[in-house]
Amino acid sequence: MKSSKLDMPNCEDCQNKGGVFSCLSKQDKAILGEDKGNNFYKKGQVIFYEGNHPHGLYCIFNGKVKISKLGDEGKEQIVRISGNADTLGYRSLLCNEPYKATATAIEDSYICYLSKKKFFELLESNNTLCLNTIQLLARELRQSEQQLVDITQKSVRERIAEVLMQLKGKFGTKPDGITLDIRLTRREIGDMAGVTTETTIRTLSDLNKEEIIHINGKDIQILKPDQLHRIANIED
Amino acid sequence: MKSSKLDMPNCEDCQNKGGVFSCLSKQDKAILGEDKGNNFYKKGQVIFYEGNHPHGLYCIFNGKVKISKLGDEGKEQIVRISGNADTLGYRSLLCNEPYKATATAIEDSYICYLSKKKFFELLESNNTLCLNTIQLLARELRQSEQQLVDITQKSVRERIAEVLMQLKGKFGTKPDGITLDIRLTRREIGDMAGVTTETTIRTLSDLNKEEIIHINGKDIQILKPDQLHRIANIED
DNA sequence: CGCTTAATTGAACATACTCAAAATTTGTGG
DNA sequence: CCACAAATTTTGAGTATGTTCAATTAAGCG
């Protein structure tokens, strides 16, 4: 499954807008890329499992990955969906503890791999990277805490609307400007909102009937983003 | 409300076991303490509000503080309860954004205040503190994500049991070894678990009848911790 | 000691879940 | 490219868990 050295993606080409490494200089990025690996993951393939010990850092060159936790009765909760230039598993790596969530490719993805050693070397030598990492963590913590409040206090309808808005914000739309540039199963949308598949279907169906969104199989078009935003009851 | 310079608590006496500053040397702690303030907060008094801009870092010398977010309909979600030597508001400070939660003293507390400038000076000069902060954030993120899964997938009974176990873990018991060393209202316990006050009361009452806990007003005794642990369905 | 806040109990109700069965889509091998 | 199997989506009906609202009792506080 490993790609050849020839088509190895280049760190300098990586579009890591808000990622940890966005602060690095071209030179540092070159150093970063020296001994990295790159793997291809087919849709549905698992990158790492909850409980595994991390030995390095994953960085998505191209593709989409869901990070999920398994509850007691086999129910899945999607913690977040990562896309281009996002890093995976750095939280566990930093804490030096086993992964607390499972990462699964939700589309065919090329994912780079950086050794633990290299990452920590960089972190210890580069104070800016360190402060950047702090900011990234702090922002994710904020998001996670907000999500906690949302999920306890919002209705299913609000949560589903919020998930749709989040997806639009993170992955944007296809060239038509309204179709979400990510295709999830109803189950996955439900697993993001903490809702059963059936209720998710019914809720999406309602929004469809109200012509706030338009459903075409796995393609979802956001027809009235303002209204959806209002339904989602987003404060920030 | 400010205490006099005379009884100003000493950073070196502060029992910050797992706090950010636990890695600092005695000398660094002395530097830390040079220009800090110390305030007394009466039970119920607010330390900072959601939306305020942080100008420094709070550190609890003695007392207990709840960190909570207000939902749309005025419903409160307690994100965490902080105790001796815990820092408050460092996440917002690090992100340089307004507080996303409100901090309220739940018992009379002495809380130190460290200027933003001083904190960032330390952070930039002391790489160990930096790495320590990363670890602290990473651990809190893990906890927050776990809480998210819990709250979506666990029943009220499981969540209430978990809250009780968490309180025991964090604040311990009185000398008798069974009475929780923290007194919360039923509403606050419910706000931690994401449950209404009435349901909280009924659930606690059930556990009381089953003699797993013993309720005496605001004092809660954990009679059968093993059984409570089993009910809570805790994995970690 | 009176007044405000918190705790408790009951009954009605609603939201979202469960289970089951059918229709549709998707993926795969020939 | 088609056919078949597997997975996903959809719909319906019944149900449970936890909420809401209202009323009462108890506790804390100045």
Short mmCIF file of all heavy atoms in Angstrom, two decimals, chain A residues 97-158:
data_model
loop_
_atom_site.label_atom_id
_atom_site.label_comp_id
_atom_site.label_asym_id
_atom_site.label_seq_id
_atom_site.Cartn_x
_atom_site.Cartn_y
_atom_site.Cartn_z
N GLU A 97 0.35 8.74 25.90
CA GLU A 97 -0.60 7.71 26.32
C GLU A 97 -1.23 7.08 25.08
O GLU A 97 -1.13 7.63 23.98
CB GLU A 97 -1.67 8.30 27.24
CG GLU A 97 -2.24 9.62 26.78
CD GLU A 97 -3.33 10.15 27.69
OE1 GLU A 97 -3.18 10.09 28.91
OE2 GLU A 97 -4.35 10.61 27.15
N PRO A 98 -1.86 5.93 25.23
CA PRO A 98 -2.45 5.27 24.07
C PRO A 98 -3.55 6.12 23.44
O PRO A 98 -4.14 6.97 24.11
CB PRO A 98 -3.03 3.97 24.64
CG PRO A 98 -2.98 4.09 26.10
CD PRO A 98 -1.98 5.13 26.45
N TYR A 99 -3.80 5.89 22.17
CA TYR A 99 -4.88 6.61 21.49
C TYR A 99 -6.19 6.38 22.22
O TYR A 99 -6.49 5.26 22.65
CB TYR A 99 -5.01 6.11 20.05
CG TYR A 99 -3.86 6.48 19.17
CD1 TYR A 99 -3.11 5.50 18.53
CD2 TYR A 99 -3.51 7.80 18.95
CE1 TYR A 99 -2.05 5.83 17.70
CE2 TYR A 99 -2.44 8.15 18.14
CZ TYR A 99 -1.72 7.16 17.51
OH TYR A 99 -0.66 7.48 16.71
N LYS A 100 -6.96 7.43 22.36
CA LYS A 100 -8.25 7.33 23.03
C LYS A 100 -9.38 7.36 22.02
O LYS A 100 -10.55 7.46 22.38
CB LYS A 100 -8.41 8.49 24.02
CG LYS A 100 -7.42 8.46 25.15
CD LYS A 100 -7.66 7.28 26.07
CE LYS A 100 -6.61 7.21 27.16
NZ LYS A 100 -6.80 6.05 28.02
N ALA A 101 -9.03 7.31 20.75
CA ALA A 101 -10.05 7.31 19.71
C ALA A 101 -9.49 6.57 18.49
O ALA A 101 -8.29 6.35 18.39
CB ALA A 101 -10.43 8.74 19.34
N THR A 102 -10.38 6.19 17.62
CA THR A 102 -10.00 5.46 16.42
C THR A 102 -10.08 6.40 15.22
O THR A 102 -11.01 7.20 15.13
CB THR A 102 -10.95 4.26 16.22
OG1 THR A 102 -10.83 3.40 17.35
CG2 THR A 102 -10.63 3.50 14.95
N ALA A 103 -9.10 6.30 14.33
CA ALA A 103 -9.10 7.15 13.12
C ALA A 103 -9.38 6.27 11.91
O ALA A 103 -8.69 5.28 11.68
CB ALA A 103 -7.76 7.85 12.97
N THR A 104 -10.38 6.63 11.15
CA THR A 104 -10.78 5.86 9.97
C THR A 104 -10.90 6.78 8.76
O THR A 104 -11.54 7.84 8.85
CB THR A 104 -12.17 5.21 10.21
OG1 THR A 104 -12.18 4.60 11.50
CG2 THR A 104 -12.47 4.17 9.14
N ALA A 105 -10.33 6.36 7.64
CA ALA A 105 -10.45 7.16 6.42
C ALA A 105 -11.89 7.11 5.93
O ALA A 105 -12.49 6.03 5.86
CB ALA A 105 -9.51 6.62 5.35
N ILE A 106 -12.49 8.26 5.66
CA ILE A 106 -13.84 8.23 5.11
C ILE A 106 -13.85 8.50 3.61
O ILE A 106 -14.88 8.48 2.97
CB ILE A 106 -14.79 9.22 5.83
CG1 ILE A 106 -14.23 10.64 5.80
CG2 ILE A 106 -15.06 8.78 7.24
CD1 ILE A 106 -15.23 11.64 6.33
N GLU A 107 -12.66 8.80 3.07
CA GLU A 107 -12.47 8.72 1.62
C GLU A 107 -11.03 8.28 1.40
O GLU A 107 -10.24 8.25 2.32
CB GLU A 107 -12.77 10.04 0.91
CG GLU A 107 -12.55 11.31 1.68
CD GLU A 107 -12.77 12.57 0.83
OE1 GLU A 107 -13.92 13.08 0.76
OE2 GLU A 107 -11.77 13.03 0.26
N ASP A 108 -10.73 7.87 0.16
CA ASP A 108 -9.35 7.48 -0.14
C ASP A 108 -8.43 8.63 0.25
O ASP A 108 -8.67 9.77 -0.13
CB ASP A 108 -9.21 7.17 -1.63
CG ASP A 108 -10.01 5.93 -2.04
OD1 ASP A 108 -10.61 5.30 -1.15
OD2 ASP A 108 -10.01 5.60 -3.24
N SER A 109 -7.38 8.32 1.02
CA SER A 109 -6.54 9.40 1.57
C SER A 109 -5.05 9.08 1.50
O SER A 109 -4.65 7.91 1.63
CB SER A 109 -6.90 9.64 3.04
OG SER A 109 -8.26 9.97 3.20
N TYR A 110 -4.26 10.08 1.28
CA TYR A 110 -2.81 9.96 1.40
C TYR A 110 -2.40 10.63 2.70
O TYR A 110 -2.69 11.81 2.92
CB TYR A 110 -2.11 10.64 0.23
CG TYR A 110 -2.24 9.85 -1.04
CD1 TYR A 110 -3.27 10.11 -1.95
CD2 TYR A 110 -1.34 8.81 -1.34
CE1 TYR A 110 -3.40 9.37 -3.11
CE2 TYR A 110 -1.47 8.07 -2.51
CZ TYR A 110 -2.51 8.36 -3.40
OH TYR A 110 -2.64 7.62 -4.54
N ILE A 111 -1.77 9.86 3.56
CA ILE A 111 -1.45 10.38 4.88
C ILE A 111 0.03 10.20 5.18
O ILE A 111 0.56 9.09 5.07
CB ILE A 111 -2.32 9.68 5.94
CG1 ILE A 111 -3.80 9.98 5.66
CG2 ILE A 111 -1.95 10.15 7.34
CD1 ILE A 111 -4.77 9.27 6.54
N CYS A 112 0.69 11.28 5.57
CA CYS A 112 2.11 11.23 5.87
C CYS A 112 2.31 10.78 7.32
O CYS A 112 1.42 10.90 8.15
CB CYS A 112 2.74 12.60 5.69
SG CYS A 112 2.71 13.16 3.98
N TYR A 113 3.50 10.29 7.59
CA TYR A 113 3.81 9.79 8.91
C TYR A 113 5.16 10.33 9.34
O TYR A 113 6.16 10.22 8.63
CB TYR A 113 3.82 8.26 8.89
CG TYR A 113 4.04 7.66 10.24
CD1 TYR A 113 2.98 7.56 11.14
CD2 TYR A 113 5.29 7.22 10.64
CE1 TYR A 113 3.18 7.02 12.40
CE2 TYR A 113 5.49 6.67 11.89
CZ TYR A 113 4.43 6.59 12.77
OH TYR A 113 4.63 6.06 14.01
N LEU A 114 5.16 10.94 10.52
CA LEU A 114 6.38 11.56 11.04
C LEU A 114 6.75 10.87 12.35
O LEU A 114 5.90 10.67 13.20
CB LEU A 114 6.08 13.04 11.31
CG LEU A 114 7.24 13.90 11.75
CD1 LEU A 114 8.18 14.13 10.59
CD2 LEU A 114 6.70 15.23 12.27
N SER A 115 8.03 10.53 12.50
CA SER A 115 8.41 9.79 13.70
C SER A 115 8.27 10.67 14.95
O SER A 115 8.45 11.88 14.90
CB SER A 115 9.83 9.27 13.58
OG SER A 115 10.75 10.31 13.85
N LYS A 116 7.97 9.99 16.04
CA LYS A 116 7.84 10.63 17.34
C LYS A 116 9.09 11.45 17.67
O LYS A 116 8.99 12.59 18.11
CB LYS A 116 7.66 9.51 18.37
CG LYS A 116 7.41 9.94 19.78
CD LYS A 116 7.13 8.71 20.63
CE LYS A 116 6.97 9.06 22.10
NZ LYS A 116 6.48 7.90 22.89
N LYS A 117 10.23 10.82 17.42
CA LYS A 117 11.52 11.43 17.74
C LYS A 117 11.66 12.79 17.04
O LYS A 117 11.96 13.81 17.66
CB LYS A 117 12.64 10.47 17.29
CG LYS A 117 14.03 10.81 17.77
CD LYS A 117 14.96 9.61 17.62
CE LYS A 117 16.41 10.04 17.53
NZ LYS A 117 16.79 10.55 16.22
N LYS A 118 11.43 12.76 15.75
CA LYS A 118 11.54 13.96 14.94
C LYS A 118 10.64 15.09 15.44
O LYS A 118 11.03 16.24 15.55
CB LYS A 118 11.16 13.61 13.49
CG LYS A 118 11.66 14.61 12.47
CD LYS A 118 13.02 14.21 11.97
CE LYS A 118 13.54 15.22 10.96
NZ LYS A 118 14.86 14.82 10.46
N PHE A 119 9.41 14.70 15.76
CA PHE A 119 8.43 15.68 16.22
C PHE A 119 8.87 16.34 17.52
O PHE A 119 8.84 17.57 17.66
CB PHE A 119 7.06 15.02 16.38
CG PHE A 119 5.99 15.94 16.88
CD1 PHE A 119 5.69 17.12 16.23
CD2 PHE A 119 5.25 15.59 18.00
CE1 PHE A 119 4.69 17.97 16.68
CE2 PHE A 119 4.24 16.43 18.47
CZ PHE A 119 3.97 17.62 17.81
N PHE A 120 9.34 15.52 18.45
CA PHE A 120 9.74 16.07 19.73
C PHE A 120 11.02 16.90 19.62
O PHE A 120 11.19 17.89 20.33
CB PHE A 120 9.89 14.96 20.78
CG PHE A 120 8.60 14.63 21.46
CD1 PHE A 120 7.84 13.53 21.08
CD2 PHE A 120 8.09 15.46 22.45
CE1 PHE A 120 6.62 13.25 21.70
CE2 PHE A 120 6.88 15.19 23.07
CZ PHE A 120 6.15 14.08 22.69
N GLU A 121 11.90 16.47 18.71
CA GLU A 121 13.10 17.27 18.45
C GLU A 121 12.72 18.68 18.01
O GLU A 121 13.22 19.67 18.53
CB GLU A 121 13.95 16.61 17.35
CG GLU A 121 14.96 15.60 17.88
CD GLU A 121 15.62 14.83 16.74
OE1 GLU A 121 15.70 15.39 15.61
OE2 GLU A 121 16.04 13.69 16.97
N LEU A 122 11.81 18.71 17.06
CA LEU A 122 11.33 19.99 16.56
C LEU A 122 10.69 20.83 17.66
O LEU A 122 10.94 22.02 17.80
CB LEU A 122 10.31 19.77 15.44
CG LEU A 122 10.81 19.94 14.01
CD1 LEU A 122 9.80 19.37 13.04
CD2 LEU A 122 11.09 21.40 13.70
N LEU A 123 9.87 20.14 18.44
CA LEU A 123 9.11 20.82 19.49
C LEU A 123 10.03 21.42 20.53
O LEU A 123 9.79 22.53 21.03
CB LEU A 123 8.17 19.80 20.14
CG LEU A 123 6.93 20.32 20.82
CD1 LEU A 123 6.05 21.06 19.84
CD2 LEU A 123 6.15 19.16 21.44
N GLU A 124 11.10 20.69 20.85
CA GLU A 124 12.00 21.15 21.89
C GLU A 124 12.92 22.26 21.40
O GLU A 124 13.35 23.12 22.16
CB GLU A 124 12.82 19.98 22.45
CG GLU A 124 12.08 19.28 23.58
CD GLU A 124 12.58 17.85 23.80
OE1 GLU A 124 13.79 17.60 23.64
OE2 GLU A 124 11.72 16.98 24.12
N SER A 125 13.22 22.22 20.10
CA SER A 125 14.14 23.23 19.57
C SER A 125 13.41 24.49 19.14
O SER A 125 13.92 25.59 19.22
CB SER A 125 14.91 22.65 18.39
OG SER A 125 14.04 22.47 17.29
N ASN A 126 12.18 24.31 18.70
CA ASN A 126 11.47 25.44 18.12
C ASN A 126 10.38 25.96 19.06
O ASN A 126 9.30 25.38 19.17
CB ASN A 126 10.86 24.99 16.79
CG ASN A 126 10.31 26.16 15.98
OD1 ASN A 126 9.81 27.12 16.55
ND2 ASN A 126 10.41 26.05 14.68
N ASN A 127 10.69 27.05 19.73
CA ASN A 127 9.75 27.57 20.72
C ASN A 127 8.46 28.08 20.08
O ASN A 127 7.39 28.02 20.68
CB ASN A 127 10.41 28.68 21.54
CG ASN A 127 9.74 28.86 22.89
OD1 ASN A 127 8.85 29.67 23.03
ND2 ASN A 127 10.12 28.04 23.86
N THR A 128 8.57 28.58 18.87
CA THR A 128 7.37 29.05 18.18
C THR A 128 6.41 27.91 17.93
O THR A 128 5.20 28.03 18.12
CB THR A 128 7.75 29.68 16.81
OG1 THR A 128 8.88 30.49 16.97
CG2 THR A 128 6.59 30.48 16.25
N LEU A 129 6.97 26.77 17.50
CA LEU A 129 6.14 25.59 17.27
C LEU A 129 5.44 25.19 18.56
O LEU A 129 4.27 24.81 18.59
CB LEU A 129 7.00 24.43 16.76
CG LEU A 129 6.26 23.11 16.51
CD1 LEU A 129 5.18 23.27 15.46
CD2 LEU A 129 7.22 22.01 16.09
N CYS A 130 6.18 25.32 19.65
CA CYS A 130 5.67 24.98 20.97
C CYS A 130 4.48 25.87 21.32
O CYS A 130 3.41 25.39 21.70
CB CYS A 130 6.79 25.20 21.97
SG CYS A 130 6.83 24.01 23.30
N LEU A 131 4.64 27.15 21.16
CA LEU A 131 3.57 28.09 21.48
C LEU A 131 2.38 27.90 20.53
O LEU A 131 1.23 28.03 20.91
CB LEU A 131 4.08 29.53 21.39
CG LEU A 131 5.09 29.93 22.48
CD1 LEU A 131 5.69 31.29 22.21
CD2 LEU A 131 4.41 29.92 23.86
N ASN A 132 2.69 27.55 19.29
CA ASN A 132 1.66 27.28 18.30
C ASN A 132 0.84 26.06 18.69
O ASN A 132 -0.38 26.04 18.56
CB ASN A 132 2.33 27.03 16.95
CG ASN A 132 1.64 27.80 15.85
OD1 ASN A 132 1.23 28.94 16.06
ND2 ASN A 132 1.50 27.20 14.70
N THR A 133 1.54 25.06 19.17
CA THR A 133 0.88 23.83 19.61
C THR A 133 -0.05 24.13 20.78
O THR A 133 -1.17 23.64 20.85
CB THR A 133 1.92 22.78 20.04
OG1 THR A 133 2.82 22.59 18.95
CG2 THR A 133 1.26 21.47 20.39
N ILE A 134 0.43 24.97 21.69
CA ILE A 134 -0.39 25.37 22.83
C ILE A 134 -1.67 26.04 22.35
O ILE A 134 -2.77 25.71 22.80
CB ILE A 134 0.40 26.34 23.75
CG1 ILE A 134 1.47 25.56 24.53
CG2 ILE A 134 -0.53 27.06 24.70
CD1 ILE A 134 2.30 26.39 25.46
N GLN A 135 -1.52 26.94 21.39
CA GLN A 135 -2.70 27.63 20.87
C GLN A 135 -3.67 26.67 20.22
O GLN A 135 -4.88 26.77 20.39
CB GLN A 135 -2.26 28.68 19.84
CG GLN A 135 -1.56 29.87 20.46
CD GLN A 135 -2.19 31.17 20.03
OE1 GLN A 135 -2.95 31.22 19.07
NE2 GLN A 135 -1.90 32.23 20.75
N LEU A 136 -3.12 25.73 19.45
CA LEU A 136 -3.96 24.76 18.76
C LEU A 136 -4.75 23.92 19.76
O LEU A 136 -5.95 23.74 19.64
CB LEU A 136 -3.07 23.85 17.90
CG LEU A 136 -3.80 22.91 16.97
CD1 LEU A 136 -4.44 23.68 15.83
CD2 LEU A 136 -2.87 21.85 16.42
N LEU A 137 -4.05 23.45 20.78
CA LEU A 137 -4.69 22.65 21.81
C LEU A 137 -5.76 23.46 22.53
O LEU A 137 -6.87 22.97 22.77
CB LEU A 137 -3.66 22.17 22.83
CG LEU A 137 -2.84 20.95 22.45
CD1 LEU A 137 -1.63 20.82 23.36
CD2 LEU A 137 -3.69 19.69 22.54
N ALA A 138 -5.41 24.69 22.84
CA ALA A 138 -6.34 25.54 23.57
C ALA A 138 -7.61 25.76 22.75
O ALA A 138 -8.72 25.72 23.27
CB ALA A 138 -5.69 26.89 23.91
N ARG A 139 -7.45 25.93 21.46
CA ARG A 139 -8.60 26.15 20.60
C ARG A 139 -9.45 24.89 20.50
O ARG A 139 -10.67 24.95 20.52
CB ARG A 139 -8.15 26.60 19.21
CG ARG A 139 -8.60 28.03 18.89
CD ARG A 139 -8.10 28.49 17.54
NE ARG A 139 -6.67 28.76 17.56
CZ ARG A 139 -5.80 28.36 16.65
NH1 ARG A 139 -6.20 27.63 15.63
NH2 ARG A 139 -4.52 28.67 16.75
N GLU A 140 -8.80 23.75 20.41
CA GLU A 140 -9.55 22.50 20.34
C GLU A 140 -10.29 22.22 21.64
O GLU A 140 -11.39 21.69 21.63
CB GLU A 140 -8.61 21.33 20.00
CG GLU A 140 -8.22 21.34 18.54
CD GLU A 140 -7.82 19.95 18.05
OE1 GLU A 140 -8.05 18.96 18.77
OE2 GLU A 140 -7.28 19.87 16.94
N LEU A 141 -9.66 22.60 22.74
CA LEU A 141 -10.29 22.41 24.03
C LEU A 141 -11.55 23.26 24.13
O LEU A 141 -12.61 22.80 24.57
CB LEU A 141 -9.32 22.77 25.15
CG LEU A 141 -9.80 22.54 26.57
CD1 LEU A 141 -10.18 21.09 26.80
CD2 LEU A 141 -8.75 22.96 27.58
N ARG A 142 -11.44 24.48 23.66
CA ARG A 142 -12.59 25.37 23.65
C ARG A 142 -13.74 24.76 22.86
O ARG A 142 -14.88 24.71 23.31
CB ARG A 142 -12.21 26.71 23.04
CG ARG A 142 -13.36 27.67 22.90
CD ARG A 142 -12.91 29.02 22.43
NE ARG A 142 -13.06 29.21 21.01
CZ ARG A 142 -14.21 29.16 20.35
NH1 ARG A 142 -15.31 28.86 20.99
NH2 ARG A 142 -14.27 29.37 19.07
N GLN A 143 -13.39 24.26 21.69
CA GLN A 143 -14.38 23.68 20.80
C GLN A 143 -15.05 22.46 21.46
O GLN A 143 -16.26 22.30 21.41
CB GLN A 143 -13.67 23.23 19.53
CG GLN A 143 -14.46 23.45 18.26
CD GLN A 143 -13.59 23.08 17.06
OE1 GLN A 143 -12.40 23.41 17.01
NE2 GLN A 143 -14.18 22.38 16.12
N SER A 144 -14.23 21.66 22.08
CA SER A 144 -14.74 20.45 22.71
C SER A 144 -15.69 20.79 23.86
O SER A 144 -16.73 20.15 24.03
CB SER A 144 -13.56 19.61 23.21
OG SER A 144 -14.02 18.48 23.88
N GLU A 145 -15.32 21.81 24.63
CA GLU A 145 -16.17 22.20 25.76
C GLU A 145 -17.47 22.80 25.27
O GLU A 145 -18.53 22.60 25.86
CB GLU A 145 -15.42 23.17 26.68
CG GLU A 145 -14.33 22.46 27.47
CD GLU A 145 -13.57 23.39 28.41
OE1 GLU A 145 -13.78 24.61 28.37
OE2 GLU A 145 -12.74 22.87 29.19
N GLN A 146 -17.40 23.54 24.16
CA GLN A 146 -18.61 24.11 23.59
C GLN A 146 -19.53 22.99 23.10
O GLN A 146 -20.75 23.03 23.30
CB GLN A 146 -18.25 25.05 22.43
CG GLN A 146 -19.45 25.74 21.81
CD GLN A 146 -20.23 26.57 22.84
OE1 GLN A 146 -19.67 27.40 23.53
NE2 GLN A 146 -21.53 26.33 22.94
N GLN A 147 -18.92 22.00 22.47
CA GLN A 147 -19.68 20.88 21.94
C GLN A 147 -20.42 20.15 23.06
O GLN A 147 -21.54 19.68 22.89
CB GLN A 147 -18.75 19.91 21.22
CG GLN A 147 -19.42 19.15 20.09
CD GLN A 147 -18.44 18.29 19.32
OE1 GLN A 147 -17.23 18.48 19.40
NE2 GLN A 147 -18.96 17.34 18.57
N LEU A 148 -19.76 20.09 24.21
CA LEU A 148 -20.35 19.45 25.37
C LEU A 148 -21.63 20.16 25.80
O LEU A 148 -22.66 19.54 26.04
CB LEU A 148 -19.35 19.45 26.52
CG LEU A 148 -19.75 18.70 27.77
CD1 LEU A 148 -19.71 17.21 27.51
CD2 LEU A 148 -18.84 19.06 28.92
N VAL A 149 -21.56 21.48 25.86
CA VAL A 149 -22.74 22.26 26.23
C VAL A 149 -23.83 22.08 25.19
O VAL A 149 -24.99 21.88 25.52
CB VAL A 149 -22.38 23.76 26.38
CG1 VAL A 149 -23.61 24.57 26.78
CG2 VAL A 149 -21.28 23.94 27.39
N ASP A 150 -23.43 22.15 23.93
CA ASP A 150 -24.39 22.01 22.84
C ASP A 150 -25.17 20.71 22.95
O ASP A 150 -26.39 20.68 22.87
CB ASP A 150 -23.67 22.00 21.48
CG ASP A 150 -23.17 23.38 21.13
OD1 ASP A 150 -23.48 24.33 21.87
OD2 ASP A 150 -22.46 23.51 20.13
N ILE A 151 -24.43 19.65 23.13
CA ILE A 151 -25.05 18.33 23.06
C ILE A 151 -25.99 18.08 24.23
O ILE A 151 -26.95 17.34 24.11
CB ILE A 151 -23.96 17.23 22.93
CG1 ILE A 151 -24.40 16.22 21.89
CG2 ILE A 151 -23.64 16.59 24.24
CD1 ILE A 151 -23.30 15.43 21.29
N THR A 152 -25.71 18.72 25.37
CA THR A 152 -26.63 18.55 26.50
C THR A 152 -27.84 19.45 26.39
O THR A 152 -28.90 19.11 26.91
CB THR A 152 -25.98 18.90 27.85
OG1 THR A 152 -24.91 19.82 27.63
CG2 THR A 152 -25.47 17.67 28.54
N GLN A 153 -27.68 20.59 25.78
CA GLN A 153 -28.74 21.58 25.87
C GLN A 153 -29.52 21.77 24.59
O GLN A 153 -30.59 22.36 24.60
CB GLN A 153 -28.15 22.91 26.32
CG GLN A 153 -27.36 22.75 27.62
CD GLN A 153 -27.29 24.03 28.39
OE1 GLN A 153 -27.54 25.08 27.85
NE2 GLN A 153 -26.95 23.94 29.65
N LYS A 154 -28.99 21.28 23.48
CA LYS A 154 -29.69 21.51 22.23
C LYS A 154 -30.54 20.31 21.83
O LYS A 154 -30.22 19.17 22.14
CB LYS A 154 -28.68 21.83 21.12
CG LYS A 154 -28.06 23.20 21.27
CD LYS A 154 -27.23 23.58 20.07
CE LYS A 154 -26.72 25.00 20.24
NZ LYS A 154 -25.80 25.39 19.15
N SER A 155 -31.61 20.58 21.11
CA SER A 155 -32.46 19.51 20.59
C SER A 155 -31.76 18.85 19.40
O SER A 155 -30.77 19.36 18.88
CB SER A 155 -33.78 20.09 20.12
OG SER A 155 -33.57 20.90 18.99
N VAL A 156 -32.28 17.71 19.02
CA VAL A 156 -31.72 16.98 17.88
C VAL A 156 -31.69 17.87 16.64
O VAL A 156 -30.71 17.93 15.92
CB VAL A 156 -32.53 15.70 17.62
CG1 VAL A 156 -32.26 15.16 16.22
CG2 VAL A 156 -32.19 14.65 18.65
N ARG A 157 -32.81 18.56 16.40
CA ARG A 157 -32.89 19.43 15.23
C ARG A 157 -31.78 20.49 15.22
O ARG A 157 -31.12 20.72 14.22
CB ARG A 157 -34.27 20.11 15.22
CG ARG A 157 -34.57 20.91 13.98
CD ARG A 157 -36.00 21.45 14.08
NE ARG A 157 -36.21 22.60 13.22
CZ ARG A 157 -36.63 22.50 11.95
NH1 ARG A 157 -36.84 21.32 11.41
NH2 ARG A 157 -36.82 23.58 11.23
N GLU A 158 -31.55 21.09 16.38
CA GLU A 158 -30.50 22.09 16.48
C GLU A 158 -29.12 21.48 16.22
O GLU A 158 -28.29 22.06 15.53
CB GLU A 158 -30.51 22.72 17.88
CG GLU A 158 -31.71 23.62 18.16
CD GLU A 158 -31.74 24.12 19.59
OE1 GLU A 158 -31.83 23.30 20.53
OE2 GLU A 158 -31.68 25.34 19.80
#
